[in-house]
Amino acid sequence: MKENHEQFKKIKKEAHDAQFAAFELFQKNEIADVLKNIDSRKADSIAKITAEVKDKEELAAKKKELDEKVEREINNQTNKLKKNQEIRREQLVAEHKEQMKIVDQLYLKRMKEFDEDTQKRN
């Protein structure tokens, strides 16, 4: 009986760990996608600026301006994304806790039924 309970707790912990590992991977991929998108737009802008501007000093100034703009956008996008991810993480934790309460209740109900069946047989 105790062995079953320990196995149940172990499986529950593994499920919890797997769920959060998947969520963290999703978050990392989400941030990587945002950065990739921003870098792609930056490359397009640099190509456009290079084609339009012939003066080297003006080109350098425009590239520097673009770099600063991109850096601000990266910071803004990643900060916003991190806030949203934290909110989703809190929601996920709450949902997971609720799921585990239901699993615990079901487990306890089954254990009680098992005990009652055992007592009836004896």
Side-chain angles (χ1 to χ4, degrees), residues 77-114:
Q77 291 284 346
T78 54
N79 287 340
K80 184 169 42 169
L81 201 51
K82 286 178 182 179
K83 285 179 187 175
N84 289 339
Q85 288 176 343
E86 186 58 35
I87 291 168
R88 287 197 306 263
R89 175 182 287 283
E90 289 171 4
Q91 291 170 340
L92 183 65
V93 167
E95 289 171 9
H96 183 75
K97 283 182 181 178
E98 194 59 37
Q99 290 169 351
M100 290 301 105
K101 282 181 190 176
I102 293 169
V103 169
D104 286 344
Q105 290 170 353
L106 181 61
Y107 176 77
L108 291 173
K109 180 181 176 188
R110 300 282 182 194
M111 292 303 294
K112 183 179 177 184
E113 289 172 358
F114 178 78

Side-chain angles (χ1 to χ4, degrees), residues 21-109:
F23 184 70
E24 287 177 356
L25 178 62
F26 169 78
Q27 287 181 325
K28 287 177 185 175
N29 289 340
E30 193 174 35
I31 289 174
D33 286 345
V34 166
L35 295 177
K36 182 179 172 184
N37 186 345
I38 291 171
D39 285 340
S40 173
R41 289 194 326 244
K42 178 183 176 182
D44 291 345
S45 295
I46 287 175
K48 183 179 175 186
I49 290 170
T50 304
E52 291 175 355
V53 179
K54 299 302 177 198
D55 181 50
K56 288 183 180 181
E57 287 180 20
E58 184 180 352
L59 181 60
K62 292 227 181 231
K63 283 183 178 180
K64 182 179 178 186
E65 184 181 309
L66 179 63
D67 285 340
E68 291 170 355
K69 180 181 175 187
V70 166
E71 189 63 34
R72 283 192 305 273
E73 184 177 1
I74 287 172
N75 288 335
N76 290 338
Q77 291 284 346
T78 54
N79 287 340
K80 184 169 42 169
L81 201 51
K82 286 178 182 179
K83 285 179 187 175
N84 289 339
Q85 288 176 343
E86 186 58 35
I87 291 168
R88 287 197 306 263
R89 175 182 287 283
E90 289 171 4
Q91 291 170 340
L92 183 65
V93 167
E95 289 171 9
H96 183 75
K97 283 182 181 178
E98 194 59 37
Q99 290 169 351
M100 290 301 105
K101 282 181 190 176
I102 293 169
V103 169
D104 286 344
Q105 290 170 353
L106 181 61
Y107 176 77
L108 291 173
K109 180 181 176 188

